[in-house]
């Protein structure tokens, strides 16, 4: 099958000459999803044109387009003539009614820009988007891209945007209750918020900046647990943040690292398989934190669970079914 993958084009940091690639140099949830899905689809024999991520590395079966605008994307699509277009850009690079069968993965909160043929990441996200029975495919992970470690170091990890709705402050509070240091990794686009955490938890929280490459995978593998204490606060998509898919959960689990999450959005659905989901407004006491840490699943169980539930081949097979539906003219909302 010939598939065009549309990735949202973003510039990389302060460097306006570079785009965020697939996979990304550092932070990049959607870019990791696209990369992982491409891994699975290439193994399934697909031919893929990647648009919206110039500078990404081509490989057999994968062509990387330079297109980053609506018009250049349409030209690239016409030249490639795909069997199906998979849009991850919320309509940024694809019109409402494209002349090719299209599937759209909704990565944000609320309703997608275009209602037809969306795939959602969780029941919570789908419900908030107003859809009753569109397909749900969890965010995938490719175990081969991660390091697996059974022995852990004595620190907890926060990996993501250092923002209130992502629960970075709650992660520091949990770490303090647990008596363990917290490494905060990720872009801090709200410096005051980060400063407040470092001021209030000086002996617990350490900010290590945005991480990529082996630094990222080493951290994921070494941590005692990943903290994903997402909060239903005002987020980037207007209204309360409902965690849509949470790539970091599968990434940690496949590295043999358990996940301590809240029950916000998708986390209530996925975190209990690889750790636990606490009520978002509940901060554990030191005794409760110790009990939680003592009863987390073992690394081998985590890796197997993540691979079986969210592995890239599982996700690619599910998406291929959906692509075939769309290519056969089926539509859903
Ligand atoms: N990430 C990264 N480096 C960082 C912080 C985050 O590579 O310093 C990655 C992380 O591993 C994950 C993605 O960025 O793949 C964040 O995606 P997630 O779905 O967890 O959060 P969101 O898309 O809501 O920001």
């Amino acid at each position: 099958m010939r598939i065009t993958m549309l990735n949202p084009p973003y510039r990389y940091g302060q460097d306006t000459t570079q785009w965020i690639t697939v996979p990304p140099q550092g932070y990049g949830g959607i870019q990791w999803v696209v990369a992982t899905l491409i891994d699975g689809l290439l193994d399934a024999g697909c031919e893929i044109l990647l648009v919206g991520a110039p500078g990404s590395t081509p490989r057999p079966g994968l062509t990387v387009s330079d297109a980053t605008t609506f018009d250049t994307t349409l030209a690239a699509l016409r030249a490639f003539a795909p069997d199906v277009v998979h849009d991850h850009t919320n309509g940024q690079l694809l019109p409402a009614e494209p002349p090719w069968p299209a599937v759209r993965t909704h990565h944000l909160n609320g309703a997608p820009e275009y209602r037809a043929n969306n795939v959602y990441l969780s029941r919570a996200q789908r419900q908030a988007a107003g859809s009753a029975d569109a397909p749900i495919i969890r965010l995938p992970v490719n175990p081969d891209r991660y390091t697996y470690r059974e022995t852990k170091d004595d620190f907890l990890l926060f990996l993501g945007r250092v923002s209130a709705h992502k629960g970075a402050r709650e992660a520091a509070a949990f770490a303090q209750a647990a008596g363990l240091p917290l490494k905060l990794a990720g872009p801090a686009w709200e410096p005051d918020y980060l400063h407040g955490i470092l001021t209030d938890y000086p002996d617990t929280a350490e900010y290590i900046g945005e991480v990529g490459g082996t630094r990222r995978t080493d951290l994921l593998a070494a941590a005692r647990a990943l903290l994903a204490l997402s909060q239903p606060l005002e987020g980037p998509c207007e209204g309360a943040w409902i965690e849509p898919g949470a790539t970091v959960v599968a990434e940690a689990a496949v590295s043999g690292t358990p996940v301590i999450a809240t029950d916000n959005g998708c986390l209530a659905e996925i975190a209990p398989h690889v750790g636990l989901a606490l009520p978002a407004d509940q901060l554990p006491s030191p005794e409760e934190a110790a009990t939680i840490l003592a009863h987390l699943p073992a690394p081998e169980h985590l890796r197997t669970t993540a691979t079986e539930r969210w592995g890239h081949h599982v996700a690619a097979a599910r998406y291929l079914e959906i692509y075939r539906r769309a290519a056969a003219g089926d539509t859903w909302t």
Side-chain angles (χ1 to χ4, degrees):
M1 190 175 243
R2 290 167 66 76
I3 302 152
T4 300
M5 229 17 117
L6 302 185
N7 176 73
Y10 291 117
R11 295 285 184 186
Y12 177 52
Q14 305 301 318
D15 183 352
T16 54
T17 63
Q18 267 196 68
W19 296 91
I20 299 184
T21 53
V22 165
Q25 301 91 327
Y27 168 78
I30 299 176
Q31 291 81 2
W32 267 115
V33 175
V34 174
T36 308
L37 190 53
I38 287 175
D39 289 347
L41 292 169
L42 288 178
D43 284 354
C46 298
E47 239 190 274
I48 300 173
L49 173 71
L50 170 64
V51 175
S56 304
T57 307
R59 53 192 151 128
L62 174 67
T63 305
V64 177
S65 165
D66 279 342
T68 54
T69 64
F70 201 83
D71 291 345
T72 52
T73 297
L74 283 183
L77 276 160
R78 279 195 196 103
F80 185 72
D83 297 314
V84 69
V85 186
H86 188 166
D87 184 30
H88 296 265
T89 75
N90 198 28
Q92 190 186 337
L93 294 183
L94 196 67
E97 291 180 19
W100 303 274
V103 169
R104 303 173 191 268
T105 296
H106 188 45
H107 288 274
L108 309 175
N109 271 198
E113 181 71 21
Y114 303 122
R115 313 281 318 186
N117 291 15
N118 277 277
V119 170
Y120 294 95
L121 313 177
S122 57
R123 290 188 296 277
Q125 186 209 30
R126 182 177 71 178
Q127 188 185 2
S131 167
D133 52 16
I136 290 172
I137 303 180
R138 303 287 180 193
L139 291 181
V141 69
N142 177 354
D144 300 340
R145 288 190 181 270
Y146 292 83
T147 303
Y148 170 68
R149 246 181 79 172
E150 296 205 340
T151 52
K152 302 294 176 185
D153 295 340
D154 272 336
F155 72 93
L156 300 172
L157 177 66
F158 172 95
L159 178 66
R161 289 174 272 135
V162 183
S163 303
H165 59 281
K166 283 289 187 176
R169 171 173 276 278
E170 285 72 14
F174 183 96
Q176 181 169 278
L180 284 170
L182 173 73
K183 289 188 194 296
L184 282 167
W189 291 314
E190 295 145 57
D192 292 349
Y193 177 71
L194 171 63
H195 180 72
I197 298 171
L198 299 178
T199 305
D200 292 346
Y201 299 93
D203 301 325
T204 297
E206 177 196 6
Y207 179 57
I208 60 172
E210 186 175 344
V211 295
T214 51
R215 185 139 188 254
R216 167 178 171 273
T217 47
D218 286 350
L219 280 165
L220 278 163
R224 279 278 295 280
L226 177 91
L227 299 181
L229 302 177
S230 170
Q231 300 292 314
L233 302 172
E234 190 70 23
C237 305
E238 285 180 20
W241 175 251
I242 296 171
E243 196 65 42
T247 319
V248 284
V249 170
E251 293 172 345
V254 88
S255 311
T257 300
V259 178
I260 299 170
T262 61
D263 58 2
N264 189 22
C266 72
L267 294 169
E269 300 165 34
I270 59 174
H273 297 293
V274 291
L276 82 168
L278 301 163
D281 58 359
Q282 178 189 309
L283 180 62
S285 66
E287 294 73 28
E288 287 164 342
T291 306
I292 287 169
L293 284 168
H295 291 92
L296 290 167
E300 200 184 318
H301 170 83
L302 293 167
R303 186 167 172 90
T304 307
T305 302
T307 305
E308 287 176 1
R309 286 182 172 273
W310 309 314
H312 58 308
H313 292 137
V314 177
R318 293 271 339 264
Y319 269 110
L320 278 168
E321 276 172 36
I322 304 292
Y323 296 160
R324 289 192 195 103
R325 266 180 77 181
D330 194 5
T331 55
W332 64 89
T333 53

